[in-house]
Amino acid sequence: MSKKLVGFAVAVTLSLSAFSASAEDIYQGAWYAVPGVAHMDTGNDLNADNDAGAFIAIGKELSQSWDFQVRLGYNKADEDTKIAGASGDYKSTQLGLNALYMFNRDSFRPFLLAGLGATRNDVDYKAPTTIANGKRTSFMASLGLGMQYFFSDSFGVQADLRRQFSRSKITTAGVSSSNSTRNNLLSLGGIFRFGVPAPVVAAVAPEPAPIPVVEPALIPVVEPALIPVVEPAPVCVKKLDTVTIDATKLFRFDKYILKAEGKAALDQTAAQLNANPAITNVLVTGHTDRLGSYAYNRKLADRRAAQVAQYLATKGVNSDVITSTGRGEAVPVVACEGVKGREALIKCLQPNRRVTVEAVATEEACK
């Protein structure tokens, strides 16, 4: 591998990491495009140099830790056979699907990548005494590392260094050989994010038009016969204490499957509800922090609330009186403005990740 290539990759990574201290988590579950340029350091068996190339990748943020990218690339390098009077070039066209493991979702995001795909290797060298050429389409595997840095919600840059493994065919003087090809590829491109869900804003109902006042016609008043009035028995609606359960006890981060610890906490809540037969309504509400998109958090909160409601029903709480809903990030307990770094922000926002259980009971007579 070229020392200059490695040195440049390290320099780019270190220089951009200096900005990461002011990073804010901006994971949105969005799609994005990455057009850019790429320099290929060809394997020794290809005898090529002075490379130029370009690529386009389409990516998707799958979760807090994973992205995938579909990438199409093209590189062309001049022959470097050291034969006097030689000419020609080596061309490589690559199409691959890559999985990116993101170490965080801050503005500065280092990642590891692995991918599979296909490549078309085309060797076409000419010399005064011989010709070496060959074309082969083969599998391709990629391993590498890189980083993304976002300047805003919609634009950033991506740099990565990857090693690509494939096979090429070279025919010289009528003799063909199939060679393992290991090329190193340094890529730099711009990230253009699109499809970012916008926060849902509740619509404001327009003011109703005034209703014209119509004077009623005079109606003769007739004294009604006296009817005995039977007073109904008073009914009291009593709101019981709200139970708030830390989501950390119930679920793993960014998940909605109940943990054993969470089931134990809900057993206590179910016992309290079952002890009061006058309960007519139980509302289970899920809440999240602000990390991630508004739509994603609302969906996660819905799923968490539904899981809690289903578990309470298995513990004897009447399912007919249970309602579940998710509020997402809409009702925060803490704001954590100015907190820097992903881990510190996750810890600070912990009170916002919660599930509440509210119960309403009726009694036959007011006291």
Side-chain angles (χ1 to χ4, degrees):
M1 183 183 296
S2 169
K3 292 183 178 179
K4 292 183 178 179
L5 192 62
V6 175
F8 178 73
V10 173
V12 170
T13 301
L14 291 179
S15 62
L16 287 177
S17 65
F19 295 99
S20 64
S22 60
E24 288 280 345
D25 187 294
I26 56 172
Y27 165 65
Q28 301 284 349
W31 288 87
Y32 57 89
V34 189
V37 295
H39 172 73
M40 178 178 285
D41 180 22
T42 59
N44 293 332
D45 56 316
L46 290 173
N47 297 317
D49 202 358
N50 299 323
D51 165 84
F55 72 93
I56 177 70
I58 301 297
K60 176 70 169 67
E61 299 171 354
L62 294 178
S63 69
Q64 289 288 116
S65 300
W66 291 97
D67 282 19
F68 83 84
Q69 292 183 2
V70 178
R71 171 178 166 133
L72 177 64
Y74 176 80
N75 289 79
K76 179 179 179 181
D78 296 334
E79 65 79 27
D80 191 26
T81 59
K82 311 300 182 185
I83 299 175
S87 62
D89 52 45
Y90 159 71
K91 296 182 284 291
S92 172
T93 304
Q94 317 106 32
L95 177 63
L97 177 62
N98 301 287
L100 280 63
Y101 177 77
M102 316 301 292
F103 286 95
N104 61 56
R105 286 293 179 182
D106 295 335
S107 294
F108 176 73
R109 306 178 180 182
F111 62 80
L112 299 176
L113 70 88
L116 294 173
T119 183
R120 177 72 168 177
N121 292 316
D122 183 359
V123 177
D124 185 15
Y125 300 160
K126 299 178 179 63
T129 57
T130 185
I131 296 176
N133 55 36
K135 297 179 180 181
R136 177 166 181 172
T137 301
S138 82
F139 80 94
M140 177 183 68
S142 302
L143 292 173
L145 54 85
M147 66 87 202
Q148 295 178 344
Y149 184 81
F150 282 90
F151 299 96
S152 68
D153 234 14
S154 58
F155 177 72
V157 294
Q158 174 175 309
D160 64 73
L161 178 62
R162 66 185 70 196
R163 191 170 180 84
Q164 293 182 334
F165 305 86
S166 63
R167 299 192 68 83
S168 59
K169 177 182 178 182
I170 300 178
T171 301
T172 304
V175 179
S176 297
S177 61
S178 180
N179 303 318
S180 296
T181 302
R182 300 175 181 85
N183 296 329
N184 301 311
L185 205 64
L186 177 64
S187 305
L188 179 64
I191 305 174
F192 300 88
R193 297 170 90 225
F194 51 90
V196 179
V200 178
V201 180
V204 178
E207 290 292 332
I211 300 175
V213 178
V214 179
E215 292 294 333
L218 295 177
I219 300 175
V221 177
V222 178
E223 291 293 334
L226 296 177
I227 301 174
V229 178
V230 179
E231 291 290 339
V235 176
C236 294
V237 177
K238 180 181 180 182
K239 184 176 180 181
L240 305 182
D241 291 339
T242 299
V243 178
T244 300
I245 307 173
D246 186 347
T248 305
K249 293 182 179 180
L250 299 175
F251 312 97
R252 288 183 295 149
F253 185 76
D254 198 33
K255 305 298 181 183
Y256 60 90
I257 303 301
L258 284 169
K259 301 190 300 183
E261 179 187 0
K263 292 180 179 180
L266 291 176
D267 288 344
Q268 300 177 14
T269 304
Q272 295 172 5
L273 295 173
N274 289 329
N276 192 335
I279 289 177
T280 58
N281 184 37
V282 176
L283 176 61
V284 181
T285 308
H287 301 270
T288 68
D289 59 29
R290 58 181 168 85
L291 303 180
S293 71
Y294 188 96
Y296 178 87
N297 288 334
R298 181 64 180 269
K299 186 176 182 179
L300 178 61
D302 279 335
R303 288 177 169 177
R304 287 182 167 181
Q307 284 282 307
V308 171
Q310 291 171 15
Y311 186 79
L312 291 176
T314 66
K315 291 300 177 177
V317 181
N318 186 359
S319 61
D320 292 336
V321 303
I322 303 176
T323 304
S324 66
T325 187
R327 297 296 305 276
E329 62 190 77
V331 190
V333 177
V334 294
C336 298
E337 297 294 341
V339 177
K340 305 299 181 182
R342 173 175 171 74
E343 295 303 325
L345 189 57
I346 289 176
K347 184 177 180 180
C348 180
L349 292 173
Q350 180 175 327
N352 294 343
R353 301 188 293 274
R354 66 199 190 278
V355 175
T356 61
V357 181
E358 301 174 74
V360 174
T362 58
E363 297 177 349
E364 291 301 325
C366 293
K367 297 181 180 180

